């Protein structure tokens, strides 16, 4: 009788252990799914921020290139003016 009680107790403990293992496996799967979803969301956010930053950088680059072109034209005009020796010709230009 005592042996049977011990066997019954062991079966209950094994069953409880199996349930705990199954619950842990379910929790693990849930954690993996949540982490995967979070990674996806973070990646989307980072890609969006990257895209905005690159567009902004492109806009700044275009502006700077235009400004450099204007400065080079002004520099060329100043160079041309600096070579004029005659005051009258200088004032006419």
């Amino acid at each position: 009788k005592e042996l049977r009680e011990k066997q019954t107790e062991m079966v209950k403990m094994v069953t409880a252990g199996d349930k705990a293992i199954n619950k842990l496996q379910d929790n693990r799967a849930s954690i993996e799914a949540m982490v995967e979803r979070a990674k996806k969301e973070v990646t989307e956010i980072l890609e969006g921020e990257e895209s905005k930053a690159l567009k902004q950088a492109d806009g700044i680059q275009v502006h700077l290139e235009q400004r450099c072109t204007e400065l080079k034209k002004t520099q060329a005009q100043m160079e041309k003016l600096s070579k004029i020796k005659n005051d009258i010709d200088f004032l006419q230009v």
Side-chain angles (χ1 to χ4, degrees), residues 23 47 68 73 76 79 86 91:
K23 186 162 179 104
E47 287 174 350
C68 282
K73 286 180 185 176
E79 184 68 29
N86 186 331
L91 292 173

Side-chain angles (χ1 to χ4, degrees), residues 56-73:
Q56 185 179 17
D58 289 344
I60 292 169
Q61 181 177 346
V62 167
H63 174 74
L64 289 174
E65 287 171 349
Q66 290 171 346
R67 184 72 178 125
C68 282
T69 299
E70 291 170 9
L71 289 171
K72 287 176 184 177
K73 286 180 185 176

